[in-house]
Amino acid sequence: MESHSKLHIHTHDPDMKFDPPKRVADVAHVQSFAQYEKMYKQSIKEPEIFWGEIAEQFFWASQPSGAFMTYNFDIQKGPISIKWMEGAKTNICYNVLDRNVEKGLGDKIAFFWEGNYPGDDKKITYKELLEEVCKFSNVLKQLGVKKGDRVAMYMPMIVELVVAMLACARIGAVHSIVFAGFSAESLRDRILDASCSAIITADGVWRGPKLLNLKVIVDKALHFCAEKGKPVTHCVVVQHLTNGDATDSEEKGKRPCKSLQVTMKEDRDRWWHELMTSASNHNDPEWVDAEDPLFMLYTSGSTGKPKGVLHTVAGYMMYAATTSKYTFDLHADDVYWCTADIGWITGHTYVCYGPLANGVTSVIFEGTPMFPDAGRLWDVVDKYKVTKFYTAPTAIRSLMKFGDSFVTKYDRSSLKILGTVGEPINPEAWHWYNNVVGNGNCAVVDTFWQTETGGHVITPLPGATKTKAGSATFPFFGIVPAILSEDGVEVNGPGQGYLVFKQAWPGMMRTVYGDHERFETTYFKKFPGYYCTGDGGKRDEEGYIWITGRIDDLVNVSGHLLSTAEVESALIEHDSVAEAASVSHPHSIKGECIYCFVTLNEGETFTEELSKELTQVVREKIGPFAQPDFIQNAPALPKTRSGKIMRRILRKIAVNDHDVGDTSTLADESVIDTLFSLRCSNA
């Protein structure tokens, strides 16, 4: 057997705890774990008092007409329902803009906008943002959009996207944002499911060095809608790339761009800037019910048909504001940056609504972490003196393989809090993020939540929680988690199983749009009385919660229920490995075994010897029962444009099934053919 030293393993004690940095804790809203526990206890025992005090920070045109909160999680006792402050009237746009301007923040910068190409930037104040939103609210009204109508958006990361979504909220319309990377067919399906009456888009966008003609994709989707007998009557187009003198058009990534051709259809398509020219900058907000819909956002479903997750106004507003305030410990002088695209829930809650509700200055980033090189994120941190930074483990792992120099060449001394989102972060990436990016001087908040939850549900608080690398730690206020066995029995103390929640919180989804039965079946039927996340969870001896990944990413190897995330985390601890993904594979004796895909660091070569080393790593880190039967070289992994690994496709590759299904959400479809060609021949 080879020694640890020869295997290049970085050993990290999973139970090692990291204290909140003093410079964070001393000014934090929650400065000790005892304070957290006191607030948490009130939030679950007396939610009306806890959330009632938070509600007082916002403007209400009228108070609730009935109970502050009611809910039923038990499908055996009747329909599933969640209601907060029903009958109260408010407007989220008024609360995140007008309220801040009235408080004297009108001249404060709401957003720094950083374009795809370095040097392409602008900024907008709260007062200017309010005026733009009022103008576009009037544009929407002139187009016939009214309260309750659904408006689709297929846009790049530009300020106009925030303007459009807030304008919808202002007039009581429901926005349905589709990430501007989905195919025309995917966009069509979402438009049709929501019965959208209008769509807002842009001419195009550079994503790194790649030019995307968004208008062409929208035109195809609208053609499909018309063929289905459901034409969309209005399409508003932002002139993002085709405005101005295109002298730099041949230089990839720069605006403007003369090579982009845009066709406008008469009577349907209108230019944003032309409509805005004559629009008034005054618009009175529509006072809507607390439980009126605010937005819908489609997320993938196990059946393949996307689910329209529906969020309502007041509960989401309070939860977005409160999670932003406490998880990122937001203060008046912060420059906050969430790198997520607004096309995903992270962008909704932690680029738009949450930061604005707290009156802070944020960064909107159009580009990618790798363009023009692997130092771009830290260049932007240096440029704007970002204090709170929030990104995905996928991005962190991708940047790790380029080494530390792309990070350390930039000044990151402004950073105080580093957040992660989207998937469990493996300890190796956590330590690199903490030590290299944060210089060991920042609080790391590893947040667990979902599109459906609206905001963080399990997360450290940066001034109060001692963290463990890879653990999401403890529940946020109002969240009551439990770990259930397969037969629905609660696991008390240390243990592993299904992660569920026992009572309602303000920010959670209310239904699947147009299909409440699917909502009940997906989240409440398996374990009556609980909201089932679909994720596995593990509670350790000290009560820390660890997310083990989607339940369908659990592998039963010879009776051992094993999380593929644990195997991936072990593989990544080897010096040669940049990224890993594991899936289940049929086995004639074990029932299931593990098939791994590994992406190596620059300059490393995949060999039989390395494969043996990696197998040994897993044996030593987890146990002999967990060792992979197959390890495949993967120059790249199939990922969505938001960076999530599509394990569904990897499972197909592992069994040599070329019917991989819909690949329209992939960032690079050519990865699939490469992986099939490198597949383990004995699998």
Side-chain angles (χ1 to χ4, degrees):
M1 184 183 291
E2 296 174 87
S3 68
H4 264 37
S5 59
K6 193 170 180 185
L7 290 176
H8 314 295
I9 299 175
H10 299 296
T11 54
H12 298 298
D13 179 359
D15 290 320
M16 181 184 290
K17 291 196 287 249
F18 295 82
D19 291 325
K22 190 173 187 301
R23 69 189 188 119
V24 173
D26 284 352
V27 298
H29 296 298
V30 183
Q31 296 184 358
S32 69
F33 199 71
Q35 185 186 352
Y36 157 75
E37 288 182 306
K38 182 180 179 183
M39 293 173 69
Y40 175 73
K41 185 177 179 181
Q42 185 190 50
S43 75
I44 60 173
K45 299 288 187 188
E46 302 173 309
E48 295 90 346
I49 295 174
F50 181 86
W51 294 107
E53 289 178 358
I54 288 169
E56 289 174 8
Q57 300 166 22
F58 297 96
F59 176 81
W60 306 90
S62 64
Q63 294 300 310
S65 54
F68 189 84
M69 60 167 283
T70 60
Y71 71 95
N72 174 43
F73 275 12
D74 192 342
I75 202 163
Q76 298 168 339
K77 295 180 180 177
I80 301 298
S81 67
I82 305 104
K83 297 185 185 300
W84 287 76
M85 300 183 68
E86 191 176 18
K89 300 285 187 185
T90 190
N91 185 285
I92 193 170
C93 178
Y94 180 89
N95 276 291
V96 304
L97 291 183
D98 306 60
R99 183 176 61 101
N100 282 320
V101 172
E102 289 163 10
K103 282 162 53 177
L105 301 181
D107 292 331
K108 184 173 185 173
I109 293 169
F111 292 108
F112 290 111
W113 178 78
E114 177 73 12
N116 180 67
Y117 199 90
D120 190 14
D121 54 40
K122 60 184 175 184
K123 57 192 175 184
I124 188 168
T125 66
Y126 273 87
K127 182 174 183 289
E128 290 166 340
L129 184 58
L130 174 59
E131 289 178 353
E132 291 295 294
V133 168
C134 285
K135 286 166 73 172
F136 198 67
S137 298
N138 290 321
V139 167
L140 289 173
K141 283 188 165 183
Q142 288 164 11
L143 296 177
V145 177
K146 57 189 184 302
K147 182 178 183 289
D149 286 351
R150 275 77 58 208
V151 177
M153 297 175 195
Y154 188 81
M155 301 176 74
M157 281 289 285
I158 54 178
V159 172
E160 287 87 349
L161 175 50
V162 173
V163 170
M165 60 198 293
L166 290 175
C168 283
R170 193 171 189 86
I171 67 173
V174 181
H175 58 75
S176 175
I177 301 175
V178 180
F179 173 65
F182 276 109
S183 66
E185 292 81 0
S186 297
L187 176 57
R188 168 202 64 192
D189 293 345
R190 288 154 174 77
I191 293 171
L192 290 174
D193 188 75
S195 300
C196 295
S197 59
I199 184 167
I200 303 154
T201 188
D203 47 12
V205 65
W206 286 105
R207 190 162 286 137
K210 186 178 180 182
L211 179 63
L212 299 179
N213 191 325
L214 301 183
K215 181 59 164 55
V216 165
I217 297 168
V218 169
D219 287 343
K220 283 183 186 174
L222 297 188
H223 176 73
F224 292 145
C225 291
E227 282 186 333
K228 293 280 187 181
K230 293 187 176 180
V232 174
T233 51
H234 297 290
C235 175
V236 180
V237 186
V238 177
Q239 197 175 31
H240 180 52
L241 295 188
T242 55
N243 57 337
D245 180 25
T247 52
D248 296 317
S249 62
E250 302 313 314
E251 212 168 326
K252 288 186 175 181
K254 278 194 174 183
R255 294 191 305 132
C257 178
K258 68 182 178 186
S259 61
L260 189 69
Q261 300 298 314
V262 179
T263 303
M264 301 289 279
K265 184 178 179 182
E266 197 174 350
D267 298 329
R268 186 195 70 189
D269 300 346
R270 304 285 299 277
W271 287 110
W272 171 291
H273 61 279
E274 292 177 355
L275 291 169
M276 292 285 275
T277 300
S278 58
S280 166
N281 62 6
H282 175 80
N283 179 280
D284 291 324
E286 180 86 22
W287 303 115
V288 298
D289 190 273
E291 282 297 323
D292 277 345
L294 171 63
F295 68 84
M296 49 201 296
L297 186 58
Y298 285 88
T299 186
S300 57
S302 56
T303 63
K305 183 179 185 291
K307 302 187 294 283
V309 170
L310 188 76
H311 284 284
T312 51
V313 175
Y316 175 82
M317 174 177 74
M318 290 193 294
Y319 204 69
T322 308
T323 51
S324 295
K325 175 181 175 179
Y326 288 115
T327 303
F328 303 116
D329 199 53
L330 294 180
H331 295 273
D333 59 349
D334 275 321
V335 177
Y336 162 86
W337 180 20
C338 170
T339 67
D341 193 289
I342 292 176
W344 310 107
I345 187 64
T346 304
H348 280 58
T349 306
Y350 299 116
V351 174
C352 181
Y353 289 113
L356 290 176
N358 284 279
V360 299
T361 296
S362 299
V363 177
I364 293 178
F365 179 52
E366 182 186 43
T368 70
M370 303 295 179
F371 183 81
D373 62 37
R376 183 67 189 283
L377 296 184
W378 323 121
D379 181 23
V380 175
V381 165
D382 190 350
K383 178 177 179 177
Y384 296 110
K385 304 305 172 194
V386 172
T387 56
K388 314 292 168 69
F389 179 74
Y390 195 34
T391 197
T394 297
I396 297 166
R397 287 194 297 269
S398 298
L399 294 170
M400 279 174 68
K401 66 182 181 183
F402 291 96
D404 300 353
S405 62
F406 280 107
V407 183
T408 55
K409 68 190 281 191
Y410 296 103
D411 179 11
R412 301 155 340 277
S413 59
S414 60
L415 288 171
K416 296 176 183 175
I417 293 170
L418 302 173
T420 73
V421 58
E423 60 184 301
I425 184 169
N426 57 294
E428 195 70 17
W430 192 99
H431 284 288
W432 185 84
Y433 197 31
N434 181 37
N435 295 330
V436 179
V437 177
N439 262 338
N441 199 26
C442 294
V444 179
V445 288
D446 174 8
T447 64
F448 170 74
W449 61 297
Q450 304 171 308
T451 304
E452 295 89 339
T453 70
H456 307 141
V457 284
I458 301 176
T459 179
L461 297 187
T465 311
K466 292 185 177 184
T467 53
K468 294 184 181 183
S471 171
T473 69
F474 300 102
F476 191 75
F477 303 125
I479 304 297
V480 185
I483 307 288
L484 299 186
S485 66
E486 181 67 47
D487 53 3
V489 177
E490 285 196 27
V491 177
N492 294 312
Q496 184 168 334
Y498 290 84
L499 177 64
V500 300
F501 298 126
K502 298 170 70 169
Q503 70 183 47
W505 62 97
M508 71 181 298
M509 70 182 291
R510 300 303 195 254
T511 190
V512 170
Y513 180 76
D515 196 348
H516 194 69
E517 185 179 348
R518 188 178 182 192
F519 173 60
E520 295 177 328
T521 300
T522 304
Y523 304 101
F524 298 95
K525 194 167 266 185
K526 186 173 180 68
F527 301 116
Y530 300 92
Y531 167 88
C532 185
T533 64
D535 279 285
K538 180 173 68 176
R539 188 190 297 112
D540 70 16
E541 297 280 351
E542 296 179 284
Y544 282 72
I545 294 172
W546 304 71
I547 308 303
T548 56
R550 299 299 294 171
I551 289 295
D552 57 13
D553 289 333
L554 293 176
V555 185
N556 195 333
V557 181
S558 301
H560 297 281
L561 199 61
L562 185 68
S563 163
T564 54
E566 286 184 81
V567 178
E568 292 162 8
S569 187
L571 290 168
I572 291 169
E573 295 214 3
H574 193 287
D575 272 351
S576 299
V577 178
E579 197 160 18
S582 305
V583 296
S584 65
H585 185 279
H587 192 281
S588 58
I589 297 170
K590 302 176 188 176
E592 287 181 291
C593 66
I594 298 169
Y595 191 114
C596 298
F597 299 80
V598 293
T599 302
L600 303 183
N601 284 311
E602 296 285 311
E604 298 286 350
T605 304
F606 190 85
T607 62
E608 186 63 32
E609 184 64 28
L610 176 60
S611 182
K612 288 177 182 176
E613 282 192 20
L614 294 175
T615 300
Q616 186 64 21
V617 168
V618 178
R619 285 179 65 94
E620 301 225 0
K621 295 294 290 183
I622 304 175
F625 68 91
Q627 74 174 49
D629 281 53
F630 307 100
I631 299 179
Q632 173 182 331
N633 181 23
L637 294 168
K639 295 179 182 178
T640 64
R641 292 173 184 85
S642 66
K644 285 201 174 181
I645 298 168
M646 292 192 73
R647 287 175 175 79
R648 168 180 66 79
I649 290 174
L650 292 179
R651 282 191 282 270
K652 294 279 191 177
I653 292 166
V655 297
N656 204 25
D657 180 355
H658 287 258
D659 182 16
V660 296
D662 180 24
T663 59
S664 62
T665 60
L666 282 180
D668 181 5
E669 293 186 44
S670 68
V671 168
I672 296 174
D673 289 336
T674 302
L675 292 178
F676 270 116
S677 71
L678 294 171
R679 193 178 157 272
C680 297
S681 57
N682 57 337

